Amino acid sequence: FFQFTWHPHWLDVIIAPFNFNFIPAFGGPTFLNFLAIIVVASLVYIFFFRRKDFYWALIAVTLAGLFDALLAWVIPLLIFRPRPFLSLPNHISTVATSIWQALPSFPSGHVRDTTIFLTVLAPFLPKKVRIPFILFVIFIAFSRVFVGAHYPTDVIAAMIIGYLAGYIVLSAVEEVK
C-alpha cells in the first residue's frame, strides 16, 4: 500500500504493527487482529485471576463495542473531513488512495477503537498494564499520522472521544453493578 521514500525504513518496521493493528495478525483470519488479541488476552486474564469481575468486564467490552459502532456510524454523518493524503504531497499508492478516499479522516477509527477498549479493560487489569496501554494508543495515533491517513487533530479527537466513551461505558456498568 505505502511507498515511502522520505523516512528511514527502520521506522516503517517499528510503525507497521501499530498502524495495522486491525489487519489480521500473522496472516490469520480477519477477526484475529492485534486489538482483538489484546482484548481476548485481557478477558482470559480477568477470567482466571479476577473471576468475580469477568462478567462485568465482558459486559463492559460488549457495551464498548456497541457504543463504538454507534460512534463510527454517527460521527461521519455529522463531520466528514477528507484524508490528508488527498491534499498534501505524499507517496501513498494509488490502490491505497482509491480505498481510503471514501473514508473520513475525522476522527481516527483506529485510535478511537483502541482507546475505548483499553479504557474499558484497564480497571479490570493490574495497574502496571495501564502505561503499556497508554503507550500503545500513542503509538497507534502516531502511526496513523505517520502514514498520512490522518491529521494530528484527528487522532487527538479520537483519543478524547474514545476515552469519554469508555468512561461512559464504565460508569454505566458500575451503576448497574
Side-chain angles (χ1 to χ4, degrees):
F1 269 13
F2 306 103
Q3 301 166 358
F4 294 111
T5 57
W6 48 272
H7 56 74
H9 176 69
W10 61 267
L11 200 50
D12 284 335
V13 173
I14 293 171
I15 290 299
F18 298 101
N19 185 48
F20 299 117
N21 72 321
F22 292 87
I23 303 288
F26 316 112
T30 55
F31 66 85
L32 186 60
N33 61 55
F34 292 111
L35 180 60
I37 290 169
I38 292 170
V39 171
V40 170
S42 297
L43 289 172
V44 167
Y45 173 87
I46 294 164
F47 179 79
F48 284 111
F49 298 104
R50 295 194 55 185
R51 188 158 303 193
K52 65 178 175 50
D53 292 329
F54 178 74
Y55 175 75
W56 298 109
L58 191 59
I59 288 173
V61 166
T62 303
L63 289 175
L66 293 171
F67 197 16
D68 188 50
L70 177 67
L71 291 171
W73 178 69
V74 170
I75 293 174
L77 295 176
L78 302 173
I79 303 169
F80 188 92
R81 180 181 355 188
R83 301 279 181 152
F85 61 78
L86 295 173
S87 59
L88 300 173
N90 62 72
H91 297 283
I92 296 178
S93 72
T94 54
V95 173
T97 300
S98 66
I99 293 169
W100 280 1
Q101 68 185 354
L103 301 172
S105 181
F106 182 90
S108 168
H110 281 74
V111 176
R112 184 197 62 239
D113 296 349
T114 305
T115 305
I116 190 172
F117 282 108
L118 299 186
T119 298
V120 164
L121 286 168
F124 297 102
L125 298 169
K127 288 185 180 184
K128 62 185 173 189
V129 302
R130 292 180 186 172
I131 297 298
F133 276 9
I134 291 168
L135 292 174
F136 188 67
V137 170
I138 290 169
F139 274 108
I140 291 187
F142 175 75
S143 76
R144 302 308 293 156
V145 174
F146 178 81
V147 299
H150 294 283
Y151 295 99
T153 53
D154 298 337
V155 298
I156 292 168
M159 282 188 235
I160 293 167
I161 292 167
Y163 177 77
L164 291 174
Y167 181 79
I168 289 168
V169 167
L170 284 172
S171 297
V173 168
E174 193 59 38
E175 188 67 32
V176 171
K177 189 176 172 182

PDB file of all heavy atoms in Angstrom, residues 154-175:
ATOM      1  N   ASP A 154      -7.128  14.697  14.157  1.00  0.00           N
ATOM      2  CA  ASP A 154      -7.998  13.517  14.044  1.00  0.00           C
ATOM      3  C   ASP A 154      -7.693  12.510  15.144  1.00  0.00           C
ATOM      4  O   ASP A 154      -8.606  11.918  15.731  1.00  0.00           O
ATOM      5  CB  ASP A 154      -7.812  12.823  12.688  1.00  0.00           C
ATOM      6  CG  ASP A 154      -8.183  13.692  11.513  1.00  0.00           C
ATOM      7  OD1 ASP A 154      -8.973  14.644  11.686  1.00  0.00           O
ATOM      8  OD2 ASP A 154      -7.691  13.409  10.404  1.00  0.00           O
ATOM      9  N   VAL A 155      -6.411  12.289  15.399  1.00  0.00           N
ATOM     10  CA  VAL A 155      -6.043  11.294  16.405  1.00  0.00           C
ATOM     11  C   VAL A 155      -6.236  11.832  17.820  1.00  0.00           C
ATOM     12  O   VAL A 155      -6.612  11.077  18.724  1.00  0.00           O
ATOM     13  CB  VAL A 155      -4.617  10.740  16.187  1.00  0.00           C
ATOM     14  CG1 VAL A 155      -4.517  10.027  14.854  1.00  0.00           C
ATOM     15  CG2 VAL A 155      -3.553  11.804  16.320  1.00  0.00           C
ATOM     16  N   ILE A 156      -6.022  13.123  18.012  1.00  0.00           N
ATOM     17  CA  ILE A 156      -6.266  13.714  19.332  1.00  0.00           C
ATOM     18  C   ILE A 156      -7.758  13.645  19.657  1.00  0.00           C
ATOM     19  O   ILE A 156      -8.147  13.246  20.768  1.00  0.00           O
ATOM     20  CB  ILE A 156      -5.742  15.165  19.393  1.00  0.00           C
ATOM     21  CG1 ILE A 156      -4.212  15.162  19.325  1.00  0.00           C
ATOM     22  CG2 ILE A 156      -6.234  15.880  20.647  1.00  0.00           C
ATOM     23  CD1 ILE A 156      -3.596  16.531  19.090  1.00  0.00           C
ATOM     24  N   ALA A 157      -8.588  14.012  18.698  1.00  0.00           N
ATOM     25  CA  ALA A 157     -10.038  13.928  18.904  1.00  0.00           C
ATOM     26  C   ALA A 157     -10.472  12.482  19.155  1.00  0.00           C
ATOM     27  O   ALA A 157     -11.326  12.220  20.010  1.00  0.00           O
ATOM     28  CB  ALA A 157     -10.776  14.496  17.695  1.00  0.00           C
ATOM     29  N   ALA A 158      -9.878  11.548  18.438  1.00  0.00           N
ATOM     30  CA  ALA A 158     -10.228  10.136  18.614  1.00  0.00           C
ATOM     31  C   ALA A 158      -9.868   9.646  20.015  1.00  0.00           C
ATOM     32  O   ALA A 158     -10.613   8.868  20.614  1.00  0.00           O
ATOM     33  CB  ALA A 158      -9.534   9.291  17.557  1.00  0.00           C
ATOM     34  N   MET A 159      -8.720  10.096  20.534  1.00  0.00           N
ATOM     35  CA  MET A 159      -8.347   9.715  21.902  1.00  0.00           C
ATOM     36  C   MET A 159      -9.353  10.262  22.908  1.00  0.00           C
ATOM     37  O   MET A 159      -9.760   9.557  23.833  1.00  0.00           O
ATOM     38  CB  MET A 159      -6.946  10.233  22.248  1.00  0.00           C
ATOM     39  CG  MET A 159      -5.831   9.428  21.662  1.00  0.00           C
ATOM     40  SD  MET A 159      -4.250  10.005  22.333  1.00  0.00           S
ATOM     41  CE  MET A 159      -3.388  10.371  20.829  1.00  0.00           C
ATOM     42  N   ILE A 160      -9.762  11.501  22.711  1.00  0.00           N
ATOM     43  CA  ILE A 160     -10.726  12.127  23.625  1.00  0.00           C
ATOM     44  C   ILE A 160     -12.072  11.419  23.531  1.00  0.00           C
ATOM     45  O   ILE A 160     -12.678  11.060  24.546  1.00  0.00           O
ATOM     46  CB  ILE A 160     -10.852  13.638  23.334  1.00  0.00           C
ATOM     47  CG1 ILE A 160      -9.538  14.345  23.677  1.00  0.00           C
ATOM     48  CG2 ILE A 160     -12.022  14.252  24.100  1.00  0.00           C
ATOM     49  CD1 ILE A 160      -9.438  15.770  23.156  1.00  0.00           C
ATOM     50  N   ILE A 161     -12.553  11.203  22.312  1.00  0.00           N
ATOM     51  CA  ILE A 161     -13.837  10.531  22.108  1.00  0.00           C
ATOM     52  C   ILE A 161     -13.795   9.108  22.664  1.00  0.00           C
ATOM     53  O   ILE A 161     -14.720   8.669  23.359  1.00  0.00           O
ATOM     54  CB  ILE A 161     -14.218  10.527  20.613  1.00  0.00           C
ATOM     55  CG1 ILE A 161     -14.536  11.954  20.149  1.00  0.00           C
ATOM     56  CG2 ILE A 161     -15.395   9.588  20.344  1.00  0.00           C
ATOM     57  CD1 ILE A 161     -14.611  12.106  18.635  1.00  0.00           C
ATOM     58  N   GLY A 162     -12.727   8.379  22.377  1.00  0.00           N
ATOM     59  CA  GLY A 162     -12.597   7.014  22.868  1.00  0.00           C
ATOM     60  C   GLY A 162     -12.541   6.939  24.381  1.00  0.00           C
ATOM     61  O   GLY A 162     -13.170   6.082  25.004  1.00  0.00           O
ATOM     62  N   TYR A 163     -11.794   7.862  24.988  1.00  0.00           N
ATOM     63  CA  TYR A 163     -11.710   7.868  26.450  1.00  0.00           C
ATOM     64  C   TYR A 163     -13.064   8.199  27.072  1.00  0.00           C
ATOM     65  O   TYR A 163     -13.501   7.544  28.016  1.00  0.00           O
ATOM     66  CB  TYR A 163     -10.649   8.853  26.933  1.00  0.00           C
ATOM     67  CG  TYR A 163     -10.606   8.916  28.444  1.00  0.00           C
ATOM     68  CD1 TYR A 163      -9.982   7.898  29.168  1.00  0.00           C
ATOM     69  CD2 TYR A 163     -11.216   9.950  29.139  1.00  0.00           C
ATOM     70  CE1 TYR A 163      -9.969   7.925  30.555  1.00  0.00           C
ATOM     71  CE2 TYR A 163     -11.211   9.983  30.519  1.00  0.00           C
ATOM     72  CZ  TYR A 163     -10.595   8.971  31.223  1.00  0.00           C
ATOM     73  OH  TYR A 163     -10.602   8.997  32.592  1.00  0.00           O
ATOM     74  N   LEU A 164     -13.722   9.237  26.552  1.00  0.00           N
ATOM     75  CA  LEU A 164     -15.036   9.613  27.100  1.00  0.00           C
ATOM     76  C   LEU A 164     -16.056   8.489  26.911  1.00  0.00           C
ATOM     77  O   LEU A 164     -16.850   8.204  27.819  1.00  0.00           O
ATOM     78  CB  LEU A 164     -15.535  10.912  26.449  1.00  0.00           C
ATOM     79  CG  LEU A 164     -14.764  12.174  26.829  1.00  0.00           C
ATOM     80  CD1 LEU A 164     -15.258  13.375  26.023  1.00  0.00           C
ATOM     81  CD2 LEU A 164     -14.856  12.448  28.324  1.00  0.00           C
ATOM     82  N   ALA A 165     -16.039   7.851  25.752  1.00  0.00           N
ATOM     83  CA  ALA A 165     -16.960   6.733  25.513  1.00  0.00           C
ATOM     84  C   ALA A 165     -16.660   5.590  26.482  1.00  0.00           C
ATOM     85  O   ALA A 165     -17.584   4.985  27.054  1.00  0.00           O
ATOM     86  CB  ALA A 165     -16.847   6.260  24.065  1.00  0.00           C
ATOM     87  N   GLY A 166     -15.392   5.282  26.684  1.00  0.00           N
ATOM     88  CA  GLY A 166     -15.013   4.238  27.635  1.00  0.00           C
ATOM     89  C   GLY A 166     -15.433   4.589  29.049  1.00  0.00           C
ATOM     90  O   GLY A 166     -15.907   3.737  29.806  1.00  0.00           O
ATOM     91  N   TYR A 167     -15.253   5.841  29.411  1.00  0.00           N
ATOM     92  CA  TYR A 167     -15.648   6.305  30.740  1.00  0.00           C
ATOM     93  C   TYR A 167     -17.164   6.179  30.926  1.00  0.00           C
ATOM     94  O   TYR A 167     -17.631   5.747  31.987  1.00  0.00           O
ATOM     95  CB  TYR A 167     -15.205   7.756  30.939  1.00  0.00           C
ATOM     96  CG  TYR A 167     -15.549   8.305  32.295  1.00  0.00           C
ATOM     97  CD1 TYR A 167     -14.768   7.985  33.402  1.00  0.00           C
ATOM     98  CD2 TYR A 167     -16.661   9.123  32.472  1.00  0.00           C
ATOM     99  CE1 TYR A 167     -15.083   8.489  34.658  1.00  0.00           C
ATOM    100  CE2 TYR A 167     -16.983   9.618  33.719  1.00  0.00           C
ATOM    101  CZ  TYR A 167     -16.199   9.294  34.809  1.00  0.00           C
ATOM    102  OH  TYR A 167     -16.529   9.785  36.056  1.00  0.00           O
ATOM    103  N   ILE A 168     -17.934   6.532  29.902  1.00  0.00           N
ATOM    104  CA  ILE A 168     -19.391   6.413  29.975  1.00  0.00           C
ATOM    105  C   ILE A 168     -19.790   4.943  30.145  1.00  0.00           C
ATOM    106  O   ILE A 168     -20.656   4.611  30.964  1.00  0.00           O
ATOM    107  CB  ILE A 168     -20.051   7.032  28.721  1.00  0.00           C
ATOM    108  CG1 ILE A 168     -19.906   8.554  28.757  1.00  0.00           C
ATOM    109  CG2 ILE A 168     -21.518   6.619  28.601  1.00  0.00           C
ATOM    110  CD1 ILE A 168     -20.248   9.250  27.445  1.00  0.00           C
ATOM    111  N   VAL A 169     -19.161   4.058  29.378  1.00  0.00           N
ATOM    112  CA  VAL A 169     -19.456   2.623  29.493  1.00  0.00           C
ATOM    113  C   VAL A 169     -19.117   2.127  30.895  1.00  0.00           C
ATOM    114  O   VAL A 169     -19.920   1.422  31.524  1.00  0.00           O
ATOM    115  CB  VAL A 169     -18.694   1.822  28.417  1.00  0.00           C
ATOM    116  CG1 VAL A 169     -18.721   0.329  28.716  1.00  0.00           C
ATOM    117  CG2 VAL A 169     -19.270   2.093  27.046  1.00  0.00           C
ATOM    118  N   LEU A 170     -17.931   2.470  31.401  1.00  0.00           N
ATOM    119  CA  LEU A 170     -17.542   2.023  32.740  1.00  0.00           C
ATOM    120  C   LEU A 170     -18.503   2.578  33.812  1.00  0.00           C
ATOM    121  O   LEU A 170     -18.843   1.860  34.754  1.00  0.00           O
ATOM    122  CB  LEU A 170     -16.112   2.464  33.058  1.00  0.00           C
ATOM    123  CG  LEU A 170     -15.016   1.667  32.387  1.00  0.00           C
ATOM    124  CD1 LEU A 170     -13.654   2.308  32.628  1.00  0.00           C
ATOM    125  CD2 LEU A 170     -15.018   0.219  32.867  1.00  0.00           C
ATOM    126  N   SER A 171     -18.913   3.826  33.646  1.00  0.00           N
ATOM    127  CA  SER A 171     -19.861   4.419  34.608  1.00  0.00           C
ATOM    128  C   SER A 171     -21.189   3.683  34.573  1.00  0.00           C
ATOM    129  O   SER A 171     -21.789   3.423  35.631  1.00  0.00           O
ATOM    130  CB  SER A 171     -20.080   5.904  34.298  1.00  0.00           C
ATOM    131  OG  SER A 171     -18.887   6.615  34.454  1.00  0.00           O
ATOM    132  N   ALA A 172     -21.660   3.340  33.391  1.00  0.00           N
ATOM    133  CA  ALA A 172     -22.929   2.605  33.264  1.00  0.00           C
ATOM    134  C   ALA A 172     -22.810   1.219  33.893  1.00  0.00           C
ATOM    135  O   ALA A 172     -23.719   0.782  34.632  1.00  0.00           O
ATOM    136  CB  ALA A 172     -23.322   2.495  31.792  1.00  0.00           C
ATOM    137  N   VAL A 173     -21.720   0.540  33.644  1.00  0.00           N
ATOM    138  CA  VAL A 173     -21.516  -0.799  34.218  1.00  0.00           C
ATOM    139  C   VAL A 173     -21.420  -0.696  35.739  1.00  0.00           C
ATOM    140  O   VAL A 173     -22.009  -1.504  36.464  1.00  0.00           O
ATOM    141  CB  VAL A 173     -20.275  -1.481  33.628  1.00  0.00           C
ATOM    142  CG1 VAL A 173     -19.879  -2.718  34.405  1.00  0.00           C
ATOM    143  CG2 VAL A 173     -20.513  -1.823  32.157  1.00  0.00           C
ATOM    144  N   GLU A 174     -20.715   0.284  36.231  1.00  0.00           N
ATOM    145  CA  GLU A 174     -20.579   0.467  37.676  1.00  0.00           C
ATOM    146  C   GLU A 174     -21.920   0.780  38.315  1.00  0.00           C
ATOM    147  O   GLU A 174     -22.232   0.308  39.416  1.00  0.00           O
ATOM    148  CB  GLU A 174     -19.566   1.589  37.960  1.00  0.00           C
ATOM    149  CG  GLU A 174     -19.109   1.657  39.375  1.00  0.00           C
ATOM    150  CD  GLU A 174     -18.439   0.390  39.878  1.00  0.00           C
ATOM    151  OE1 GLU A 174     -17.697  -0.239  39.115  1.00  0.00           O
ATOM    152  OE2 GLU A 174     -18.655   0.022  41.050  1.00  0.00           O
ATOM    153  N   GLU A 175     -22.732   1.562  37.630  1.00  0.00           N
ATOM    154  CA  GLU A 175     -24.061   1.914  38.144  1.00  0.00           C
ATOM    155  C   GLU A 175     -24.946   0.663  38.254  1.00  0.00           C
ATOM    156  O   GLU A 175     -25.657   0.489  39.243  1.00  0.00           O
ATOM    157  CB  GLU A 175     -24.716   2.957  37.229  1.00  0.00           C
ATOM    158  CG  GLU A 175     -25.994   3.537  37.762  1.00  0.00           C
ATOM    159  CD  GLU A 175     -25.790   4.385  39.011  1.00  0.00           C
ATOM    160  OE1 GLU A 175     -24.734   5.017  39.140  1.00  0.00           O
ATOM    161  OE2 GLU A 175     -26.709   4.411  39.861  1.00  0.00           O
TER     162      GLU A 175
END
